[in-house]
Each structure stands twice: as structure tokens, then as C-alpha cells.
Amino acid sequence: MTSATLSIDLGALVRNWQSLDALSACETGAVVKANGYGLGAPVVGRALVRAGVRSFFVATAEEGNTLRGAIGQGPAIYVFSGHMVGDTNAIREAALTPLLNSVDQMLRHVEALPGAPFGIQLDSGMNRLGMEPAEWSAVRDIAIAQGPALIMSHLACADEPDHPMNARQLSEFRAMTDGLDIPSSLAATGGTILGPDYHFDMTRPGIGLYGGLPFADAAPVVTLDLPVIQVRDVVQGESVGYGNTWTAPRDSRIATVSGGYADGLIRAMGPKATLFAGDTPCPVVGRVSMDLITADVTTLDHDPVELQLIGRHQSVDTVADAAGTIGYEILTSLGLRYQRSLVG
Ligand SMILES: *Cc1c(COP(=O)(O)O)cnc(C)c1O
């Protein structure tokens, strides 16, 4: 059996939600878009419902539909992309709450599903999704009269606590929501950590639940062990892998593990990445290929059965650094070939 094992610690996931929840006095939701950041929205969703989560956030109505099937009726499922053409059936049948991003979406929603719940997404400066201040002031009274379930906006720079953009967006969001008696939400993981000014009525962390930065105190959720297929001796001066990019500086022992860029182990991490045999680091040598990675295990006194990429010695963010990206991309790229095992 050569497929790698991705183990997902649902206990750690729940503890991360509880830790983030403890940072605020308000409700704490959970963002499970992109299939629960690659870990599986159904299992993640069910674990979080058991832990007491009452509000979930997804990117699309399709994701909301899948999540509803997994968690059943009860918790709210908010959809960041709002109500798009073709979403009406899913919104109705899965009882989703679209976060309407524009006047067009608002008209579509009240015409297609009069009286159905909705929220509003406002743009406080990120210029990605949501109504701009002028658009909002034009429809605000009409929208409020329909009783939105939530008014939200999103911070562009919350992972940089000292960035002046945070305070600017906070005051823009306040200006757009002051005096309204509607639940509101501004903070994702980064905003939750910024402090109470940013919490409003609901925080909506994503990455921190899954053990990623900017939640530095997160418990690790993911462990990824890659089985060793073959170990060989390579004589000083021989090369390893595509393009002969690594040449053995001494007689070496090289392990070939199952797992490659087709499994989300980003090719760019090659020269900087490290695998672990227990506590011993084994540098990746040569290029990461589609299904295989080669590592230098010369210092071990035995041939390893498997090598670990993500786990006790190395977080998703460390792996992300080696690949020149962020933990979010490592998690959401994790492939479908892994044996997934749930712990906790
Ligand atoms: C992805 C996302 C979140 C969660 O962000 P994290 O940084 O993963 O906590 C919250 N709100 C919106 C609008 C998002 O797109």
C-alpha cells in the first residue's frame, strides 16, 4: 500500500475553535469553505456542530448544499458569494443564508425567494466582495426593513496587527453599520486575534481552526506521513531526480517516498523542504515529481518505513515557507489520493 496517510485530529480542531471562541465575548462561527480547507467539510462540520458551532460560512451555494447534507438542519450556513444566478434551488432546499454582495443580488434574492433569510456583505476597503458605502446607503433602509440575519465585511491585512488598514476598515465598517440593530461581523482568524474592537457580534475564523497562522497558539491538526517505497545507495557524484538538480556530495542513502505535486506537495518546495524520520531531519534532494519525492536519509542508522512532512516537527506554515506560499494554500491543495484517517 503506497498511498500516504493524512491524519486529521478533530480533537485539536475543536480545541482550536474553543481557544478562538475564548478570545471573544461574542458568538464564534466557523469557516469551512474549500471543503473545510482541504480537510473535508462534512467531517469538520460535524465535529464543530458537536462542539457547539451554530454558524458556518462557505464560499459557494454548492458547498453549502454539501455541508447541509452532512450537518442536518439547525445551524446557519452563510454563503460568501451571495445569491448568484442558478443558486436559488440550493439556497431554498439547503436553507442557506446568502451574504448579498450587490443591489443586483438583493433584487435576485427578494424576487426569487421572498421572505427567505439573507445577510449583507459590505466592502470596507478590500475591494473584493460586498457593497460599497454609496451603494449601501442607497439600499440600506430597504435592506434593513427585510431584517438581514447578519451584516459583515472582511479585513485585508488582519494578519499584520500593526497595519493601518485594520483601523481604517474598522472605522469604515462602523460608519456603515452604526445605529443598526442587526448582528454584525468583521473578524476572521486575524481579526479575532486583533482584539475586542474587531469582534462585534460574531467572529468567523477559518485557518486558525485548522492549525494555521496567524493563530500562533493553534494546536496542530494535520499530520502527513509519506511511505518509503525504496531506499538506495547513491555514490558521490551521482545525481538524483529530474534535471539532475542534485548531485551527491558524498556517498549517500536516498529514500523515495510516495507523494508529489499531484498530491499538493508543491514542486517549488523541493530545494528547501525537509522530511522527518522520527526526530531526524532528512532533506529533500532533487526535484519533487508528480508522485514521488526523494530525501537524503544517510544519517539514519536504519532504512525508514515512512517519512513525515507535516506534523510534530513541521507545521503547515513551515512547509508553506519552503514552497514560497502560505499555509492556506498547502492545506487546500492536499490531494485526494491520501488515506485519510480521523483521530481525536
Ligand atoms: C476565508 C474567509 C474567512 C476566514 O478567514 P481565515 O483567515 O481563514 O480565518 C472569513 N471571512 C471571509 C469573507 C473569508 O473569505
Side-chain angles (χ1 to χ4, degrees), residues 74-98:
I77 300 177
Y78 294 94
V79 180
F80 289 134
S81 60
H83 189 149
M84 295 175 65
V85 172
D87 284 350
T88 303
N89 283 345
I91 290 172
R92 181 181 48 232
E93 282 159 25
L96 308 178
T97 309

Side-chain angles (χ1 to χ4, degrees), residues 31 33 37 80 121 128 152 154 188-190 204-208 328:
V31 179
K33 63 193 180 188
Y37 286 49
F80 289 134
Q121 185 157 190
R128 190 180 67 166
M152 53 131 328
H154 193 46
T189 302
R204 17 167 250 276
I207 191 72
Y328 296 75

